[in-house]
Amino acid sequence: MIRLILRSGAPGFAYARSAHSFVGSAPELPAVRVRSTFLDFFREKHGHLLVPSSPVRPRGDPSLLFVNAGMNQFKPIFLGRADPRSAMASYYRVVNSQKCVRAGGKHNDLEDVGRDVYHHTFFEMLGNWSFGDYFKEEACSMAWTLLTEHYGIPADRLYVSYFAGDAESGLLADKETRDIWLDIGVSPGRLLPFGLKENFWEMGDMGPCGPCTEIHYDHVGGRDASKLVNANSPDVVEIWNLVFMQYNREVDRSLRLLPQFSVDTGLGLERLVSVLQGKRSNYDTDLFTPLLRAVHQRSKVGPYSGRTGADDHGMVDTAYRVVADHIRTLSVCIADGVYPGMSGAELVLRRILRRAVRFCVEVLKAPQGTLANLVPAVVDILGDVYPELYREADRIVDIINENEAQFLSSLQQGTRLIHRTLNKMEDKHGVFPASVAWSLHRDLGFPLDLVDLMLEEQGVHVDQQELDKLKANNQKVCSDQQRGPESLLMMDVVSLAELQRLGVPHTDDSLKYQYTLERDQYVFPAYHATVLALYDGQTLVSEVVEGQRCGVILDQTCFYHEQGGQSHDQGYFTRDGLQDVLYSVEAVVQAGGYVVHQVFVADTLKTGDQVQLCLDQVHRLSCMVKHTATHILNFALREVLGPSVQQRGSHVSADRLRFDFSIKGSLSVSQLQQVENCVNNIISFNQSVHSQELPLQTAMTIKGLRTIDEVYPDPVRVVSVGVPVSELLDNQTDRLTSVELCCGTHLLQTRFIQDLVIISERQMAKGISRIVAVTGLDATRAREVGQVLSQDVESLSARLSGPPPTSIVSAQHLAKEVGVLSDAVDTTPIPQWQRRELQSQLKTLQRSSNTSIRKLETREAAVTAQAVLEKNGRKRLLVDSVETDSLSVLMKTVNQLSSISPHSYVMLLAHHGHSGKVLCACQVPKNSPSLPASDWAVAVCHHLGGSAGGSALVARGTGSSSDITGALRWAGEFARQKIQR
C-alpha cells in the first residue's frame, strides 16, 4: 500500500513514500532533504527564526572542549545572560541544525566509533526552540505532525515517554504532557512513564531544568515493543527529545519555577536519516555511503560490508567507519579554527587524526594522502548547509596532509620500535617494556591508548605499574626543571677543563636560527651531528649504555639551549644505522661554550656516533611566538608608560610569557588596555622581524635599543621589528620600533602571534611588576571566558539590586554566589584589565550581600532575645535553647541579652538542622574571674563531645548530642558551682 502525503508549503515538506521503506527498501529521501524539511517546517510553517550553527569551539565556555549539544550556543538565554543589545536577546522561536562533537570531556564517544554502527564523534543535532513563547502543547503537536505527516513515519512505529514524577524530589508526574499526547492520538499502550534518569533533563548541578518527553522508533514494527523502550535495544531507539525547561535548580538542590518557560528539543540527524531511509546503520545512509565509496576507491581491501565484532575479520569494516566518521570531524573542526595541537581540544583533534591515519594505512592499505582526498566528499555532503567547509577546503586539506605526514613518519618509527622490542622479548606474549611504550608516547606523540591497541594486536600488554612510575618520574623531572637548572645534569669544572685539554671544539649552535617561512609554514631542516663527548654525571666517558641519563656534546646542534629567558628546545636523537631507537632530549643547557643535551639513552651511545637531530617543531614554534610577543610587549610598555620602564627579567615557554619591569605601581585598567592594543596593532600590521649579528660596541649605538643589566657576547645578535637592523644602524629612519639585543629564536612575521592578552599583572616587589600573557588561541579563549564572566557579574548585580532577600538563607545563597564568582574571576585566565573591573564590582556586591546578612541576623537575634527574656526574665544565670541554624545569630542573640542584662551569665544552645550539631554561645559579665566565658564554653562543648574557644568575656563552640535538655542542665550546674565559689 502506498501512503500519499499531499504537498503543502515549500518544496521538501511532502513526498510520497512506501510504508515498507521502513523495513529496508532503497532510500527515498536524501539526507539534505531530511534536514531542509525539518528547518523549513519550523521556519515557514511555524514562524521560527533559522539560526546558523555555532562553531564547534564553544563560545566562551571553558567547561567544554567542543560544542556537544544544540543548546550550547543558547546557554546565555537559558541562564538570563544574553546581552540585551545582542540579536540573541530577541530570540523567541528558533530552529537550527547544530554541529556537535563528542570526543573528550564528559561526553566522549571516540573509543566507541567504529566498533558499532551508530556512534559518531561528529553529528548534527536538529532542534527547535521556544524562549518564553510556546510550550508543551505546541511542541508536542509540531513534533508529531512533522514525523507522521511530513516525514511519513507510521504512527504504529512510534512510542512516547514522559516524566513519571519523583517522590523524593517532590516532583509530580507530568500528566499535562501525557494528556497532550493522548489528545494528539497516541495510544495509551504506547505512552510510557519513566523517572528522573530518563525523562528529567538538567543543564548541570544548578540552573534551568525540567521534564522531557521522548519519541522512540521501532525498527521492526508489527508488534508491541513497549518493553524495549529505554532498554538499550538497537531495535527501539530514541529519535527526538523535547525538554520543557520550567524549573531552576537552586544551590540547595531545591527547584524554583523559571520566570519564563522554554522548549529545547534535540533530534539527531544521522539517526533520523537512518529511519527515513530504512537503514539499521547510520553508515548505510547517504550521509556516509559516498565517503565509504571514496575510501574503497583508494584502499586495497574489499568494499564496506557493515560487519561488527567478531564477524569483522581484520577490523576492515571498523576501519571504514572510523575513517568516514573522523574525516567529517576533522573537516568541520578545522573549518571552525580548531587545529590538531598539543593541549585541550587541539590535542583531542590530533588524536582523532592519528587514529584515522593509522586505520587508513595499516588496515585499509590506502596510500598516503587518502584522508585529505576525502575532504571534497565531506564538502559535497555538508557544504551547502555549512558553507565554511567550502571556504576552508584548501586549508583543511593542507593541515590534514601536513599532520598525516608527520604522524606517518612517527608511526613507521614506532612500529619498527615495537617489532624490534618484541623480537628481543623471550616471552612473545608477555609484558611489553613500559620504557619503550613511554618513549612512543613522549617522543613520537603516540596516545597511550593507541600504544595499547597496537600491542593488543600482537598479544602483549604494557607493564602498567612500571608505566605509572615513568609518568610520575616525568612529572618530577618537569617540576625539577621548573625549579631551575641546578636540578639538571650539569657538567662540573673538571670535566669542562678536560674537554678543553682534549681539544674538543665548542658547539656550533648557529643551526638553531636556520629556519624559513614557506607557504605560510615554518620549515625546520633536519641536521646530522657527531657525538664529541659524553658525561655520565660525574666524569667524561666514551660510552653509555641503555637506561642511563647522560650529557651529550655534539659538534653542531639545532637545539636551543635555555638562555635569554627562553625555554630550551625539546625533541630526540636517532643514531645512524638504528633509526627506530629514540634518544629523548630532556633538557639543553650551555656550559663553557659547549651545548650539553641531557639525554635518556635508549640504546648504547658512543663518542664518534653519528646522530640525526629531531626537533619538536610545535614546541619550538610556540616559543618563537612567545619570544617575539615579549619583544613587542616590552616596546608597548615603554610607549604607554614612558622611557622610565626598564626590563627586569623575562621567561618564555611554549604556553605563556612572563615579563618583569620597573614601575612605581600596578598598571591601571586603562594602561593595560592601551598596552594590549599597541601590541595587537603591531601584530595585525604583520611587520617583518629582522635579525643581524653585530659587534657589541656597534650595536650599542642604535637609537632606542633596549638592553638589560647582563653581560652580552661580542658580537651580539640584534633583533628588530618592522625596520631592518641596517636602517636602524645607519640612522636611515626616525621610526620608533622594538629593537633589542637577543639570542633567542623569533618569528619572521608578527601575524603568527595572532593575538595577545595580558592575563596577570602584579607587583612582585616594590617598584617591580610582573606581567603574564598568552597568545593565539589561548588569548582568544581568555577573551571569550572574560566576556562570559562579565555577563555573570552583570546578571548577579541585577539580582542583588532588586528587592532585598527576606531570609538569611536566601541572603547567604546570594553571598555564596558572589564568592564562587569571585573565585572564578580571581583564578581564570582572562584579560587582566577586565579582571580588575570585575573584582571591583564583586567587592561592592560582596559588601552589599554581607550587609544584608548582618541586618537580617540582627533582626532575627532581636526577636529571639526578646522571646528568651519573656520566657526567663533577667536572671543572673540565663541558660536556655533557641531555634536557629546560625552560630552568628546565636552570638548576636547572646550579645543583645547581655546588653539588656549586663550582670547576667548567658549561655544559649541551638540544634543545627543541617549538620545535627549543637551550637553553643555564651557571654559573662565584665570582671568575672570565677567563670571566664572561654572556660564555660570549653567545658560544655567538651561535655557535648565537641570543642570551643573565645575570650574571658565571649566564647562559642559546637558539640553533638540529641539530649539538649540534659546539656542545658549540665551547663547551668557547672556555672552555678563556679559562681558560688
Side-chain angles (χ1 to χ4, degrees):
M1 175 179 177
I2 302 296
R3 184 173 184 221
L4 295 178
I5 307 297
L6 298 178
R7 281 189 171 274
S8 62
F13 276 178
Y15 50 89
R17 70 177 301 111
S18 169
H20 60 73
S21 69
F22 288 90
V23 292
S25 69
E28 295 185 21
L29 187 67
V32 66
R33 288 277 303 281
V34 175
R35 187 193 298 110
S36 65
T37 296
F38 181 93
L39 299 176
D40 290 346
F41 174 81
F42 286 100
R43 182 168 58 93
E44 299 186 8
K45 281 205 170 284
H46 295 285
H48 287 62
L49 175 68
L50 177 58
V51 175
S53 169
S54 68
V56 293
R57 179 183 293 285
R59 290 169 173 164
D61 190 343
S63 66
L64 297 174
L65 288 174
F66 299 98
V67 166
N68 57 26
M71 57 78 60
N72 288 164
Q73 72 164 308
F74 301 118
K75 270 188 178 182
I77 302 179
F78 291 127
L79 297 174
R81 298 170 183 166
D83 189 332
R85 298 164 296 183
S86 69
M88 186 175 285
S90 66
Y91 290 172
Y92 294 100
R93 294 185 176 206
V94 165
V95 63
N96 79 336
S97 180
Q98 173 64 53
K99 299 175 290 186
C100 299
V101 173
R102 289 187 177 174
K106 180 180 178 182
H107 297 289
N108 184 7
D109 293 338
L110 179 57
E111 296 308 318
D112 294 318
V113 171
R115 298 179 188 272
D116 56 39
V117 296
Y118 48 84
H119 273 100
H120 304 291
T121 52
F122 165 76
F123 64 96
E124 295 179 72
M125 185 70 82
L126 303 171
N128 60 291
W129 317 78
S130 166
F131 306 112
D133 189 8
Y134 62 81
F135 202 46
K136 295 179 180 179
E137 184 174 357
E138 297 90 335
C140 294
S141 176
M142 286 186 282
W144 193 257
T145 299
L146 176 60
L147 292 178
T148 61
E149 296 182 19
H150 291 269
Y151 284 133
I153 298 177
D156 61 8
R157 291 289 188 96
L158 300 177
Y159 295 80
V160 179
S161 65
Y162 68 94
F163 182 49
D166 185 75
E168 186 176 344
S169 303
L171 288 168
L172 300 176
D174 189 4
K175 294 181 180 179
E176 179 186 4
T177 297
R178 180 199 63 186
D179 293 343
I180 289 169
W181 285 119
L182 290 172
D183 291 343
I184 286 173
V186 177
S187 165
R190 295 174 178 272
L191 190 55
L192 310 169
F194 287 92
L196 281 172
K197 180 181 178 182
E198 297 86 0
N199 281 85
F200 194 87
W201 187 91
E202 303 202 42
M203 186 181 295
D205 293 336
M206 295 181 290
C209 57
C212 64
T213 182
E214 297 175 340
I215 303 173
H216 302 254
Y217 175 78
D218 178 17
H219 277 286
V220 177
R223 59 177 181 167
D224 180 3
S226 57
K227 291 184 178 180
L228 298 179
V229 173
N230 283 331
N232 293 321
S233 168
D235 295 332
V236 180
V237 296
E238 172 208 333
I239 57 173
W240 205 344
N241 186 11
L242 286 66
V243 179
F244 305 127
M245 293 195 190
Q246 60 190 85
Y247 300 109
N248 192 70
R249 179 71 73 180
E250 301 291 306
V251 178
D252 62 359
R253 300 298 294 159
S254 64
L255 293 171
R256 184 179 59 168
L257 285 176
L258 289 167
Q260 72 170 25
F261 292 175
S262 296
V263 174
D264 161 11
T265 84
L267 172 63
L269 175 69
E270 290 77 9
R271 187 169 290 183
L272 176 62
V273 171
S274 70
V275 167
L276 295 178
Q277 295 184 358
K279 304 298 183 183
R280 298 298 296 273
S281 163
N282 295 351
Y283 292 92
D284 292 333
T285 69
D286 65 343
L287 285 169
F288 290 92
T289 50
L291 284 170
L292 295 171
R293 285 196 298 269
V295 173
H296 178 235
Q297 290 172 0
R298 293 166 177 82
S299 70
K300 296 180 180 178
V301 296
Y304 177 70
S305 59
R307 294 166 298 185
T308 61
D311 294 332
D312 183 16
H313 304 296
M315 299 182 71
V316 169
D317 287 338
T318 296
Y320 268 110
R321 289 188 289 268
V322 166
V323 173
D325 171 89
H326 287 8
I327 189 57
R328 284 165 33 109
T329 305
L330 289 163
S331 299
V332 168
C333 287
I334 294 171
D336 280 349
V338 185
Y339 304 150
M342 300 302 291
S343 64
E346 288 77 17
L347 182 59
V348 173
L349 198 63
R350 181 174 184 247
R351 182 180 172 198
I352 289 172
L353 186 144
R354 292 189 163 200
R355 190 169 187 253
V357 169
R358 178 173 177 265
F359 275 104
C360 252
V361 173
E362 295 197 349
V363 181
L364 298 176
K365 311 301 180 186
Q368 183 172 342
T370 292
L371 205 58
N373 284 332
L374 300 175
V375 172
V378 176
V379 174
D380 286 343
I381 296 169
L382 300 175
D384 287 342
V385 68
Y386 305 120
E388 59 274 13
L389 287 166
Y390 279 117
R391 294 193 301 268
E392 299 293 328
D394 291 343
R395 187 191 304 273
I396 296 167
V397 168
D398 289 344
I399 289 174
I400 290 176
N401 275 332
E402 178 186 345
N403 280 272
E404 180 184 40
Q406 290 177 358
F407 179 55
L408 285 176
S409 175
S410 298
L411 188 63
Q412 291 169 359
Q413 282 188 290
T415 303
R416 287 199 303 268
L417 182 56
I418 286 175
H419 288 308
R420 177 174 176 271
T421 305
L422 289 172
N423 290 334
K424 290 169 63 177
M425 290 170 55
E426 294 181 4
D427 182 1
K428 302 300 183 185
H429 299 284
V431 178
F432 192 82
S435 59
V436 179
W438 181 245
S439 177
L440 288 166
H441 173 67
R442 176 192 58 203
D443 301 320
L444 294 178
F446 277 46
L448 287 172
D449 63 330
L450 176 57
V451 177
D452 289 337
L453 185 60
M454 294 174 73
L455 294 177
E456 181 183 325
E457 294 167 3
Q458 301 295 326
V460 297
H461 63 277
V462 178
D463 183 341
Q464 190 60 46
Q465 187 174 1
E466 184 62 26
L467 185 61
D468 290 339
K469 289 181 181 178
L470 289 171
K471 290 180 185 178
N473 290 338
N474 181 69
Q475 292 173 347
K476 182 177 184 301
V477 168
C478 290
S479 60
D480 286 344
Q481 292 178 8
Q482 291 173 355
R483 282 197 292 269
E486 66 277 358
S487 62
L488 303 175
L489 188 152
M490 299 294 289
M491 294 190 70
D492 58 29
V493 65
V494 175
S495 298
L496 288 170
E498 182 66 6
L499 286 174
Q500 295 176 10
R501 189 188 68 79
L502 293 172
V504 177
H506 291 160
T507 311
D508 174 15
D509 64 347
S510 61
L511 301 180
K512 64 190 178 188
Y513 301 125
Q514 303 302 312
Y515 49 88
T516 56
L517 186 56
E518 299 176 12
R519 297 179 183 177
D520 282 347
Q521 296 292 326
Y522 282 87
V523 177
F524 301 87
Y527 291 102
H528 282 78
T530 303
V531 177
L532 299 184
L534 298 168
Y535 179 70
D536 67 359
Q538 296 179 325
T539 185
L540 295 176
V541 295
S542 59
E543 178 180 345
V544 288
V545 297
E546 180 179 352
Q548 282 188 274
R549 189 168 270 108
C550 71
V552 179
I553 296 174
L554 307 172
D555 62 333
Q556 61 176 4
T557 184
C558 60
F559 279 76
Y560 185 88
H561 62 81
E562 182 112 19
Q563 63 174 335
Q566 180 177 329
S567 296
H568 62 79
D569 279 336
Q570 297 178 1
Y572 58 91
F573 302 157
T574 58
R575 201 180 85 201
D576 284 6
L578 198 61
Q579 297 299 318
D580 53 345
V581 177
L582 311 179
Y583 297 81
S584 176
V585 177
E586 299 175 336
V588 189
V589 296
Q590 191 266 357
Y594 298 102
V595 176
V596 184
H597 308 77
Q598 180 169 304
V599 171
F600 180 81
V601 179
D603 203 317
T604 302
L605 189 65
K606 303 175 183 178
T607 56
D609 280 346
Q610 300 293 308
V611 295
Q612 182 172 347
L613 312 182
C614 302
L615 194 66
D616 185 330
Q617 298 179 15
V618 173
H619 180 272
R620 161 65 84 82
L621 184 56
S622 295
C623 288
M624 289 162 56
V625 166
K626 305 305 184 299
H627 206 149
T628 302
T630 302
H631 280 218
I632 300 172
L633 175 63
N634 190 359
F635 172 77
L637 285 167
R638 190 159 181 157
E639 284 289 288
V640 173
L641 303 176
S644 62
V645 172
Q646 297 295 326
Q647 180 177 343
R648 291 292 180 260
S650 67
H651 184 72
V652 172
S653 62
D655 61 340
R656 60 181 55 189
L657 64 91
R658 187 189 74 219
F659 189 82
D660 299 343
F661 59 102
S662 60
I663 186 174
K664 290 182 179 179
S666 289
L667 275 67
S668 66
V669 167
S670 175
Q671 288 171 329
L672 286 165
Q673 291 174 317
Q674 290 178 60
V675 170
E676 271 192 15
N677 290 338
C678 182
V679 172
N680 285 308
N681 284 338
I682 295 172
I683 293 170
S684 63
F685 290 154
N686 191 26
Q687 297 184 2
S688 295
V689 181
H690 306 273
S691 61
Q692 186 175 338
E693 199 169 77
L694 295 172
L696 179 58
Q697 189 172 357
T698 303
M700 298 300 287
T701 65
I702 296 176
K703 182 180 179 181
L705 181 72
R706 306 303 303 275
T707 63
I708 57 176
D709 185 18
E710 69 174 33
V711 177
Y712 288 99
D714 191 6
V716 68
R717 190 172 181 82
V718 181
V719 177
S720 64
V721 177
V723 182
V725 176
S726 58
E727 292 185 20
L728 295 170
L729 188 62
D730 299 333
N731 293 320
Q732 298 178 23
T733 178
D734 293 326
R735 177 179 165 189
L736 294 176
T737 187
S738 166
V739 54
E740 297 189 32
L741 305 182
C742 182
C743 56
T745 58
H746 286 273
L747 297 172
L748 301 178
Q749 294 178 347
T750 61
R751 65 187 168 93
F752 290 93
I753 302 172
Q754 298 179 340
D755 190 11
L756 179 138
V757 167
I758 297 170
I759 60 171
S760 173
E761 189 272 329
R762 62 191 179 98
Q763 291 275 293
M764 299 300 296
K766 189 173 181 179
I768 302 293
S769 189
R770 170 171 290 177
I771 277 178
V772 176
V774 291
T775 61
L777 292 175
D778 289 333
T780 301
R781 291 192 197 101
R783 294 189 193 280
E784 292 174 348
V785 174
Q787 186 59 33
V788 170
L789 290 175
S790 179
Q791 292 171 356
D792 291 346
V793 172
E794 289 177 11
S795 174
L796 187 55
S797 178
R799 290 164 58 195
L800 282 167
S801 63
T806 57
S807 71
I808 294 175
V809 172
S810 59
Q812 288 173 336
H813 282 163
L814 284 173
K816 185 176 181 180
E817 286 188 56
V818 175
V820 169
L821 196 49
S822 295
D823 289 341
V825 168
D826 289 344
T827 59
T828 306
I830 62 174
Q832 181 67 8
W833 65 265
Q834 191 172 38
R835 190 193 317 278
R836 296 258 176 86
E837 289 187 338
L838 297 180
Q839 286 172 334
S840 177
Q841 295 177 47
L842 286 165
K843 285 179 182 177
T844 301
L845 297 181
Q846 192 72 67
R847 285 194 297 269
S848 174
S849 60
N850 289 342
T851 299
S852 295
I853 292 172
R854 284 195 299 270
K855 286 181 178 178
L856 290 167
E857 287 179 343
T858 301
R859 187 187 308 165
E860 182 177 323
V863 173
T864 305
Q866 186 60 39
V868 171
L869 284 174
E870 289 176 0
K871 176 183 175 182
N872 296 282
R874 300 189 181 188
K875 296 179 180 178
R876 187 179 183 218
L877 179 60
L878 202 167
V879 179
D880 204 348
S881 64
V882 297
E883 295 292 328
T884 182
D885 278 342
S886 169
L887 186 56
S888 177
V889 170
L890 196 66
M891 290 290 295
K892 284 182 170 65
T893 304
V894 166
N895 184 259
Q896 290 196 26
L897 289 170
S898 295
S899 297
I900 297 170
S901 181
H903 300 294
S904 296
Y905 291 81
V906 180
M907 175 174 280
L908 297 180
L909 302 181
H911 265 302
H912 188 266
H914 294 301
S915 66
K917 291 183 178 295
V918 175
L919 308 180
C920 171
C922 66
Q923 187 166 336
V924 301
K926 294 180 180 179
N927 302 319
S928 178
S930 60
L931 181 57
S934 56
D935 290 358
W936 194 12
V938 167
V940 172
C941 289
H942 181 73
H943 175 75
L944 292 169
S947 60
S951 66
L953 185 64
V954 181
R956 62 182 181 179
T958 60
S960 57
S961 173
S962 58
D963 183 13
I964 198 168
T965 303
L968 289 169
R969 285 197 302 269
W970 196 94
E973 185 59 32
F974 179 89
R976 287 190 195 93
Q977 292 178 5
K978 296 289 185 179
I979 296 170
Q980 290 171 0
R981 290 179 187 173

